[in-house]
Each structure stands twice: as C-alpha cells, then as structure tokens.
Amino acid sequence: MPEPVKVAVLISGAGSNMAALIDAAQAPDAAYEVVLVLSNKPDAGGLKIAEAKGVTTLAIDHRAFAKDREAHERAVHAALTGTGVEVIALAGYMRILTPFLVGAWAGRMLNIHPSLLPLYPGLDTHARAIAAADAEAGCTVHIVTDGVDEGPVLGQARVPILADDTPASLAERVHVAEHQLYPATLGRFCAGLRQPRPA
Ligand code: GRF
C-alpha cells in the first residue's frame, strides 16, 4: 500500500472538522495522515483537541505580523514544508489568503465551506439560505484558488432546510454532514495523488 499523504490541517477555532479528519485517518487503509494542526490563534480550542489525539500542533499568531499577511504566510509555509506536509486542509481557517500561499500550494490546498457553492460564498451562509427560502443547504469541499470560496469543487453534501430551521439549527445539521464529507473527499483526493500517472 502506498504511504499515506502527509496532511496539515489549518484551523482558527473549535476544530470539529479537524477532529473528524484526524479520526478518519486512524483507519488502517487511510490515504492520508494528519502530521500537523496549525492555527493562527494560540487560543483556538481545536489545538487542545488535536494534542489530546496525539497530533503535533503549532500556533503562529498572525498578530505578531501586524498587517503583513504575506510575512505570516511565509512563516506558516516554512513550518509546513519543514514538517514534510504534502497537502493542506483548511478547516475553519479564518484568514484571507494572499497569492503567495495560494500559489505555493496550488492544487494541493483544500477548503470546506458551509454552503452549496457557488451559492453563498463568505459568511452567514445558513441565514442567507433560509432568507432565500431555499429547499436545501449543504457544504462543499473545493480546491483553493485566488478567489475566496472559489475553485474546483471536489465534493458536496446536501441537507434539507426544515420549515422551523434557524441559522443555528441548520448549521448544526450541516456540521454533521461536513464531518462525513471532508474526510471522505480528502481521502479520495489523497488516494488520487498516489495513483501512478498513465505513461
Ligand atoms: C465549518 O462550518 C466550515 O465549513 C467553515 O468553518 C467552520 C469550521 O467549524 N469553513 P469547525 O471549527 O470545524 O467546527
């Protein structure tokens, strides 16, 4: 069996998707392993969860770089390459990326977004879907490109919107779908990276 792909998960908050990614990587035939969880926020709750699961963690506080986003990204990039990371999974990483990081990891950085892209990029996705009287919401895993929440879609999961849904109740159900979609999609993506190229 090929070596699992080395993945870093980047978070800024609770890290429930990160936890689902780590848990799924415990399967004996997993196509990826989480070698690093990195946060721009030293107090991100997800860091403690990752530590408890035995995964190496690192915080690189963006505030130390003032407004220089690229300098912060260069420090993040150095940590990733220093750890032998092959693929980045953004999971609630609340930073707008510069062309530096996007370019350095082109085709190897994934993100999960809580809407059925191209619908509702950005924030407040669930409130917007309810306000539009949509019949369903969901989540999308996509390759990260320069535009925010754009880039080729790798997988989506759909969740019906119920008559009495609030943004919070809908978010809760979409989160459950995210925890299934992200590990499955990342696993498929990483297995594809290890496929021999046709001659
Ligand atoms: C998720 O809803 C994800 O789609 C979005 O940020 C949220 C992160 O949640 N990008 P968690 O930290 O994984 O619980």
Side-chain angles (χ1 to χ4, degrees), residues 122-187:
L123 299 175
D124 299 324
T125 54
H126 305 304
R128 288 152 73 198
I130 290 171
D134 291 349
E136 54 185 10
C139 46
T140 304
V141 174
H142 65 97
I143 298 274
V144 175
T145 54
D146 277 325
V148 174
D149 300 325
E150 293 181 4
V153 169
L154 299 177
Q156 286 188 316
R158 311 180 96 80
V159 173
I161 299 181
L162 308 178
D164 59 352
D165 256 334
T166 62
S169 66
L170 180 57
E172 208 170 297
R173 291 203 315 287
V174 171
H175 243 123
V176 173
E178 290 184 41
H179 300 159
Q180 292 162 359
L181 177 71
Y182 209 176
T185 309
L186 179 64

Side-chain angles (χ1 to χ4, degrees), residues 49-62:
I49 296 172
E51 272 164 35
K53 289 179 182 292
V55 176
T56 303
T57 62
L58 180 65
I60 301 182
D61 193 339
H62 64 275

Side-chain angles (χ1 to χ4, degrees), residues 7-68:
V7 169
V9 185
L10 271 51
I11 63 168
S12 299
S16 69
N17 278 286
M18 170 219 73
L21 291 173
I22 292 173
D23 291 348
Q26 303 306 315
D29 57 347
Y32 70 90
E33 61 177 319
V34 178
V35 295
L36 180 68
V37 170
L38 189 153
S39 178
N40 64 305
K41 292 195 168 187
D43 59 351
L47 288 175
K48 286 206 166 55
I49 296 172
E51 272 164 35
K53 289 179 182 292
V55 176
T56 303
T57 62
L58 180 65
I60 301 182
D61 193 339
H62 64 275
R63 290 170 302 188
F65 298 83
K67 289 198 185 321
D68 194 342

